[in-house]
Amino acid sequence: MNFLDHINANIGIAHKVCNIYFRDSADRDDVMQEMMYQLWRSHKNFDGRSKFSTWMYSVCLNTALTYKRKIRKSESLSNIHNQIAATPMSDKEKITEILMEAIATLSEVNKAIMLLYLEDMSYDEIAEITGLTRSNVSVRIMRAKKELELILKDKIL
C-alpha cells in the first residue's frame, strides 16, 4: 500500500481530530490541510513498528494541538461567529453532537485520550500515541468518564 492509499483508508482519523478540536469550519479546513502536509512531510519517518493508523493519530493530534496553540495566541476578543441554521438532525446525530461538545470541554490531553478510546484503541496504543504511560491513560480515562458523566447529566436534565 502506498502513502495515498494509507491516507485514504484512514482519512476519518484526521476528520475526527479536526471536529473534536475545532468548531469553526475555516479552522477545520486549515488544520486538515496542515495535517495532510505534516503527514506527507513525515511519512518517510514511519517505520512500521506501529500500525499506520496509530502513527497517523499521533501526527494529527500533534498538528491539531500545535495549530490550536497558534490560533489561541492570535485570537482577538472581538471574534464573532455567524451560525447558519442547520438541517434537522436524527436522534443519533444529536446524541453524538452532545457527546462531542462534552468531550470538547475536556483538557487537550483528555480530549485526545477520549477520542482514541472511542475508536476502540487499546490503552497501550493510546499510551504510544500520547506519550503517556499505560497506567496514566487508564486513570485519565476513568476521570474523564466521570467528568463527562457530570457534564452530560447537566445537559440531559
Side-chain angles (χ1 to χ4, degrees):
M1 207 181 245
N2 68 29
F3 173 70
L4 287 178
D5 292 336
H6 279 295
I7 293 297
N8 287 330
N10 294 284
I11 195 69
I13 292 170
H15 287 290
K16 288 173 190 167
V17 171
C18 286
N19 288 334
I20 198 76
Y21 281 98
F22 302 96
R23 287 278 157 243
D24 183 65
S25 64
D27 286 338
R28 284 193 307 266
D29 291 343
D30 289 347
V31 80
M32 177 65 89
Q33 184 175 0
E34 183 65 20
M35 284 176 184
M36 294 303 112
Y37 171 71
Q38 293 300 330
L39 287 163
W40 173 80
R41 199 176 122 232
S42 61
H43 82 277
K44 62 185 171 289
N45 298 331
F46 175 65
D47 57 12
R49 285 187 291 164
S50 61
K51 292 190 293 186
F52 185 85
S53 60
T54 302
W55 173 80
M56 187 170 170
Y57 259 117
S58 183
V59 172
C60 289
L61 285 168
N62 286 330
T63 303
L65 293 172
T66 299
Y67 189 86
K68 196 152 185 78
R69 280 191 294 272
K70 275 188 213 174
I71 63 171
R72 195 176 294 141
K73 288 179 183 177
S74 65
E75 246 177 14
S76 70
L77 294 176
S78 64
N79 194 8
I80 299 172
H81 299 283
N82 295 327
Q83 293 187 351
I84 300 170
T87 57
M89 291 188 276
S90 70
D91 288 343
K92 184 178 179 181
E93 288 172 328
K94 288 177 187 173
I95 291 168
T96 301
E97 184 174 313
I98 290 169
L99 177 61
M100 289 303 152
E101 286 174 1
I103 290 172
T105 65
L106 300 174
S107 72
E108 300 301 330
V109 174
N110 286 350
K111 272 187 227 183
I113 289 170
M114 290 310 293
L115 179 66
L116 298 170
Y117 177 76
L118 290 173
E119 286 294 313
D120 291 327
M121 293 214 167
S122 71
Y123 286 14
D124 290 328
E125 288 173 312
I126 296 171
E128 181 181 339
I129 291 168
T130 60
L132 300 170
T133 64
R134 185 183 193 288
S135 60
N136 195 329
V137 167
S138 176
V139 168
R140 283 179 175 266
I141 287 173
M142 183 180 66
R143 289 181 182 162
K145 282 181 180 179
K146 287 180 182 176
E147 191 175 339
L148 288 171
E149 187 178 323
L150 291 173
I151 293 166
L152 294 171
K153 186 190 303 185
D154 290 343
K155 285 191 179 263
I156 294 171
L157 295 179

